[in-house]
Amino acid sequence: MNSDVAILGVGMHPWGKWNRNFVEYGVLAARAALKNANVLWRDVQFISASAAPRCGYPGLVAAASFAEALGWQGAELQTCYAACVSGAQALAAARAKILSGACELALVIGADVSPKGFLKPEPGERPDDPNWMRYYLGFTNPTYLALDARRRMELYGATADDFSTVKVKNARHGALNSNARYRYEFTLEQVNRSAMVADPLRLFHICSTSDGGAAVVLSSLAYAKRMAAHCVLLAAVSTCSPRFPNAELTMPYLASDSSLATPPQAFHTANAMQAYEEAGMGPEDLSLAEVYDLSSATELDWYEHIGLCARGQAEGLLREGVTQLGGRLPVNASGGLASFGEAMSAQVLAQVCELTWQLRGQAGARQVANANTGIAVSQGIYGHGGAIIIKR
Amino acid sequence: MDLAILSNWFCQSDSGANLVGTQCAECKTFYFPPQMLGCKNPDCEAIDCEAILLNKVLLSRIGRLWSYTNACQRPPEPYECQGEFKPFAIAAVELDQEKMIVLGQLSAGFEVTQLKIGMLMELVIEPLHEGGHTSQAIWKWRPVFEQP
């Protein structure tokens, strides 16, 4: 069975700290995507939106808020929440709806507003929520990212300069992207001199949090053919959950699973491998990758999770320039989270926008030559993960 | 605020401090924090049992340092810390018998510069905040400096 659907159009509201309602970012991104797809709002049959707690839950339900703001037109609505991977689940829902034949034209929207500083749980006393408990005990997101970074240094000889090089690379890419929040280059010295947050990670190794919005118009292949559209194809979406035992220490938990009775399972690798299998291809077919660089060290972990190299070889790829623009397989040509800052429920859809522009040859100064296949991978607390493959 | 639930997660005796976990009577998998909802190992025969087969157990008091970091900036709420923030170090320790990694703050006064991955670490019970306003006690990891 052909499980491809068409990406007819994409649109974004630039990332930043705009201090406005998330609905505004979502609506502007949606209008841009509809225009880009050359379809009418009134023709959309399904609106799939990713929610985030900071959208004001339980008040402003995302899909309904966007639909009301764009003007009720009777479409079916669905809102999903999967932490930082919400956009992948929203995309998966729209894709499944199209593949089942229940609709032909769907609009996927994600928009978010972020407070300044550390991500943190909603107020209140909730000791039975692991995410609340770990903050009570002093363990922030950078804590977990730094533990993984220190492991890379110990096991694979990563250096602080390697982590800083990732930031310098992504900042150079982001400087070419008008949708990025930070559009300036960094020197190695600037990164190395920034304040230590969670040893060995410094401020400029860790992604910030932003406001932003992104939207994607999906259709069946038959609909795209009738439109005679110049489209790229969504070939795979994996949102599989971990398999017990998850032997890594992941947010928001205080301990890994015990692997006494069953061998440990690698979770992030599973997301990518399932997507490759679904798309009938492998890492050797990729032209570029967008990965969640929650920290500069996390980007290196992703090189291995998605099969660009064997475990422990990521620093080599980085040092050889393979993953920079102009290299054999550019990673985060958009500038990545380093240049965007995470707008949680919009971030995965921003990755999809970048891959779409790259595969259409519309990425301007950051265009990857002959781009024909790309992967976008993401991760979130509570065992969420996503992998998306887009092809020409 | 002090949290009653935390007092169920560790204990201290004359021989030292231990984390309190649970263990599946069937496949022997350990759980921390202790949970009583049943085994979570999908390969375990007990997972489809209606009867709960988890027992409370004391986890190993000694483990090896898996990784470490620190908190140089004040964490956001609900982390409670009035007055001047003092950075603290954090350790993730691998328990050999349980085959699991447990996160904890480093015992007060120790710093990341004293740590090396693989070194022995011992569980201690200390106040959550050094000189803090809460009496909350919590588990922490203390490096064991082996004699050459």
Side-chain angles (χ1 to χ4, degrees), chain A residues 48-297:
Chain A
S48 184
S50 55
R54 287 183 306 285
C55 287
Y57 182 86
L60 293 160
V61 181
S65 299
F66 297 137
E68 191 275 339
L70 286 158
W72 295 121
Q73 44 78 303
E76 283 186 68
L77 309 175
Q78 89 108 29
T79 300
C80 68
Y81 176 62
C84 300
V85 181
S86 298
Q89 287 205 353
L91 195 75
R95 172 176 179 257
K97 191 96 165 167
I98 291 168
L99 289 176
S100 76
C103 86
E104 284 204 294
L105 185 63
L107 174 60
V108 188
I109 313 172
D112 215 339
V113 173
S114 302
K116 198 172 159 52
F118 286 110
L119 287 175
K120 60 185 176 193
E122 295 292 296
E125 185 179 330
R126 294 187 311 280
D128 54 349
D129 174 355
N131 196 44
W132 187 93
M133 182 60 90
R134 57 119 172 177
Y135 279 99
Y136 176 82
L137 296 174
F139 307 136
T140 62
N141 289 8
T143 300
Y144 292 80
L145 303 173
L147 291 171
D148 288 342
R150 175 60 65 186
R151 289 289 292 176
R152 285 209 73 86
M153 297 174 97
E154 173 74 15
L155 294 181
Y156 311 130
T159 64
D161 271 359
D162 286 326
F163 302 151
S164 299
T165 299
V166 171
K167 171 70 174 184
V168 168
K169 168 183 79 73
N170 290 351
R172 195 180 299 139
H173 298 171
L176 305 172
N177 190 342
S178 61
N179 284 310
R181 175 175 171 196
Y182 306 107
R183 296 198 294 272
Y184 37 84
E185 299 197 13
F186 280 84
T187 64
L188 210 59
E189 292 67 34
Q190 281 174 312
V191 182
N192 284 340
R193 276 204 313 266
S194 64
M196 192 66 89
V197 173
D199 192 307
L201 297 178
R202 295 175 180 275
L203 185 64
F204 292 152
H205 292 138
I206 299 168
C207 92
S208 64
T209 61
S210 295
D211 297 359
V216 179
V217 177
L218 293 184
S219 82
S220 65
L221 295 183
Y223 189 97
K225 199 172 175 188
R226 290 203 302 278
M227 294 280 295
H230 170 65
C231 60
V232 298
L233 301 175
L234 178 58
V237 182
S238 165
T239 59
C240 67
S241 53
R243 289 186 64 82
F244 184 94
N246 187 348
E248 292 166 41
L249 194 56
T250 52
M251 294 180 248
Y253 304 109
L254 297 174
S256 71
D257 289 335
S258 159
S259 51
L260 181 76
T262 302
Q265 308 279 329
F267 170 49
H268 297 301
T269 307
N271 275 136
M273 294 309 134
Q274 190 183 61
Y276 288 134
E277 192 180 338
E278 201 170 270
M281 56 177 66
E284 65 281 2
D285 298 309
L286 296 176
S287 317
L288 75 162
E290 289 283 308
V291 308
Y292 258 32
D293 52 327
L294 298 172
S295 84
S296 304

Side-chain angles (χ1 to χ4, degrees), chain B residues 63-113:
Chain B
R64 294 218 173 251
L65 186 63
W66 181 81
S67 192
Y68 58 91
T69 181
N70 57 11
C72 302
Q73 319 284 335
R74 182 194 298 265
E77 290 178 348
Y79 183 79
E80 295 175 322
C81 178
Q82 290 170 345
E84 192 189 353
F85 171 72
K86 270 201 252 175
F88 57 91
I90 297 166
V93 173
E94 191 162 24
L95 304 180
D96 183 52
Q97 186 196 326
E98 292 81 358
K99 295 278 182 290
M100 68 195 298
I101 301 162
V102 180
L103 192 56
Q105 288 191 16
L106 205 62
S107 173
F110 291 96
E111 297 182 9
V112 289
T113 50

